[in-house]
Amino acid sequence: EAQVTQNPRYLITVTGKKLTVTCSQNMNHEYMSWYRQDPGLGLRQIYYSMNVEVTDKGDVPEGYKVSRKEKRNFPLILESPSPNQTSLYFCASKGDLSYNEQFFGPGTRLTVL
Amino acid sequence: AQSVSQHNHHVILSEAASLELGCNYSYGGTVNLFWYVQYPGQHLQLLLKYFSGDPLVKGIKGFEAEFIKSKFSFNLRKPSVQWSDTAEYFCAVNFSNYGQNFVFGPGTRLSVLP
């Protein structure tokens, strides 16, 4: 089944404790992206990647890191999480750069105490 | 900076009523436009998209949207809503001169009363 998977789905952590949220897609998509969803703000793009070893900042990259060492994986790293990073995070992928549909993962709900 | 606005935060309708959700964007160049739906507890799903051609596009579940370039708008419509349309709806824009950056609107929550 074609899908985007994220792990973990739920995470509660404390300020300053490094964490990684994994994202994987099995559709051989070139493009992958991370968003955070907050009430009243919709989805805001954090980082995106157009291919292996190519990453770019979205609208809200501060406090986040990403890497794209393999085509299928695009982990989101919070080196020192803070409470304002409490949010619902979605990973997405799409096949190429011709503006086709993005496929979204199930979401990761992160709480930083 | 590019931005996307949605006119209504929360819309409440009775079943069989007609729906129109507004979406406007700030940029005057070439854009690619999307409407996504998020049912409670689920991830986003694409309803419809516009890249070029006929400005009236039809999507899944009876939804359609009209692109009006002069008004920078891409409004979503459905002639007769059902209880199962209760969800949050997001307009999204890819501003082509800004590469692969996608900007989402803040969302409109639709509640359909049975």
Side-chain angles (χ1 to χ4, degrees):
Chain A
E1 179 190 355
Q3 59 182 349
V4 179
T5 57
Q6 296 178 225
N7 282 293
R9 295 289 311 282
Y10 302 91
L11 179 60
I12 301 174
T13 189
V14 295
T15 299
K17 186 177 181 182
K18 181 179 178 179
L19 66 92
T20 299
V21 183
T22 64
C23 172
S24 183
Q25 49 90 8
N26 62 2
M27 297 169 278
N28 201 36
H29 282 171
E30 294 179 0
Y31 177 95
M32 298 185 74
S33 181
W34 275 104
Y35 296 86
R36 60 177 289 174
Q37 183 181 17
D38 301 289
L41 297 177
L43 278 78
R44 292 178 291 168
Q45 195 169 36
I46 303 171
Y47 270 95
Y48 61 94
S49 168
M50 291 190 279
N51 215 324
V52 175
E53 301 292 2
V54 180
T55 62
D56 282 290
K57 295 178 180 179
D59 292 321
V60 288
E62 295 79 18
Y64 304 94
K65 284 176 55 178
V66 292
S67 69
R68 187 89 182 275
K69 299 191 186 310
E70 305 168 280
K71 198 171 188 178
R72 63 181 290 125
N73 296 323
F74 190 46
L76 180 70
I77 303 156
L78 284 72
E79 294 270 5
S80 182
S82 61
N84 64 13
Q85 293 178 298
T86 292
S87 187
L88 178 59
Y89 291 86
F90 287 100
C91 180
S93 74
K94 70 182 181 77
D96 57 34
L97 306 185
S98 61
Y99 316 120
N100 284 324
E101 172 188 356
Q102 291 188 75
F103 294 86
F104 283 83
T108 295
R109 186 165 292 282
L110 172 65
T111 302
V112 183
L113 303 175
Chain B
Q2 318 94 298
S3 65
V4 178
S5 61
Q6 292 183 235
H7 302 171
N8 308 98
H9 176 64
H10 189 191
V11 173
I12 303 173
L13 296 172
S14 298
E15 275 193 315
S18 65
L19 170 71
E20 180 160 2
L21 301 182
C23 171
N24 286 87
Y25 59 93
S26 64
Y27 172 70
T30 303
V31 293
N32 300 290
L33 302 159
F34 307 83
W35 274 98
Y36 283 86
V37 60
Q38 186 178 32
Y39 297 104
Q42 296 190 25
H43 61 279
L44 277 77
Q45 302 171 45
L46 184 70
L47 273 179
L48 48 80
K49 60 189 176 187
Y50 172 81
F51 294 159
S52 64
D54 188 343
L56 185 62
V57 294
K58 295 193 183 299
I60 61 172
K61 304 181 189 239
F63 286 91
E64 64 178 32
E66 185 176 12
F67 170 50
I68 303 179
K69 189 174 181 179
S70 61
K71 295 185 178 180
F72 306 129
S73 71
F74 189 54
N75 292 355
L76 181 72
R77 298 195 290 250
K78 186 171 184 178
S80 176
V81 296
Q82 301 171 313
W83 177 79
S84 58
D85 293 324
T86 295
E88 190 148 18
Y89 292 81
F90 294 94
C91 180
V93 181
N94 170 247
F95 298 92
S96 64
N97 283 3
Y98 291 84
Q100 294 293 314
N101 183 241
F102 286 79
V103 181
F104 281 76
T108 296
R109 185 155 63 100
L110 173 64
S111 299
V112 180
L113 307 176

